[in-house]
Amino acid sequence: FPADALEQWHASYPVLDGHFFWTGEPRPGGIKLDATKLDELEQQTHRLATRTGDLFFLHRFLFDLFLGALPPAPDTRNIPGWLKDGFAALDDPSVFSEGPVAFARACGRSPEHVSRACRKHLGNTPGELVNEARMKDAARQLRMSDLDILNIMMDCGLSNPSHFYKLFKAQYGKTPRQYRLAHRGLVGQ
């Protein structure tokens, strides 16, 4: 669906403001969906794709997504600005491909200090945050390119296929190949 559809939905239901990721704050640690919830969302996505232009189905999808699948965003008001900046830097492949040390460098703090702050404020280790960013990029590449899976793995800064497959399956509930096949032809993912 068009990006402005989310903005229109949000404007229609302002009472939800601040509970989800549209507040402009980073979503620390991303989200983790179990395989059942991921399958449900995938089925809803396919239903939505066959009913383009129908606002009822779009609003239903968004309510199910935000109120059913996603937990409320954690309170990010007490997270230090340097950690928010470092978290935002994880969108850059040059940061996540180098690993937690590059993440700490992006935060402008020592790896030990970043590790303590991540556990305190985000409930994750820097390695977990980096790996989530890596898998997010891997999923994007699997959907949007025909690159070989091993090349995608190396682009993400990983060199062990077994580890890559384990991380990917833990985050998306499918192997990279299964994920690619399931998302062929879906636009705007």
Side-chain angles (χ1 to χ4, degrees):
F1 56 87
D4 64 342
L6 182 61
E7 293 169 15
Q8 291 169 356
W9 183 76
H10 177 238
S12 298
Y13 306 101
V15 71
L16 301 175
D17 195 17
H19 294 286
F20 306 103
F21 62 77
W22 54 66
T23 61
E25 295 292 323
R27 187 167 188 85
I31 59 165
K32 292 180 182 175
L33 300 175
D34 63 29
T36 302
K37 185 50 80 175
L38 194 60
D39 285 340
E40 288 173 17
L41 286 174
E42 189 173 331
Q43 290 172 7
Q44 289 180 8
T45 302
H46 287 289
R47 271 189 243 120
L48 182 62
T50 63
R51 293 177 171 93
T52 57
D54 191 328
L55 286 179
F56 171 78
F57 286 102
L58 174 59
H59 285 206
R60 180 178 174 200
F61 172 78
L62 292 172
F63 271 113
D64 286 348
L65 177 65
F66 292 123
L67 298 177
L70 304 182
D75 183 2
T76 58
R77 290 176 288 191
N78 295 324
I79 296 177
W82 60 264
L83 186 53
K84 288 180 185 179
D85 293 344
F87 188 79
L90 281 177
D91 287 335
D92 182 350
S94 68
V95 174
F96 65 70
S97 66
E98 283 188 56
V101 173
F103 174 60
R105 194 169 44 248
C107 289
R109 302 291 190 275
S110 73
E112 297 80 12
H113 186 77
V114 171
S115 181
R116 285 189 303 272
C118 284
R119 283 194 299 275
K120 176 182 176 183
H121 295 290
L122 306 175
N124 288 332
T125 66
E128 290 169 332
L129 295 173
V130 166
N131 284 333
E132 286 176 10
R134 287 170 166 164
M135 296 307 101
K136 179 181 167 186
D137 187 66
R140 181 193 59 77
Q141 288 190 59
L142 289 166
R143 288 189 312 267
M144 307 301 280
S145 78
D146 288 326
L147 283 176
D148 180 78
I149 292 173
L150 291 178
N151 287 334
I152 292 172
M153 174 193 74
M154 291 185 287
D155 284 350
C156 293
L158 296 169
S159 58
N160 181 330
S162 176
H163 184 59
F164 173 69
Y165 274 72
K166 180 181 174 187
L167 289 172
F168 194 89
K169 190 162 187 176
Q171 189 158 330
Y172 291 99
K174 296 179 175 168
T175 66
R177 183 178 186 282
Q178 291 168 334
Y179 183 88
R180 173 174 267 169
L181 293 173
H183 292 86
R184 288 274 175 185
L186 294 180
V187 181
Q189 291 273 326

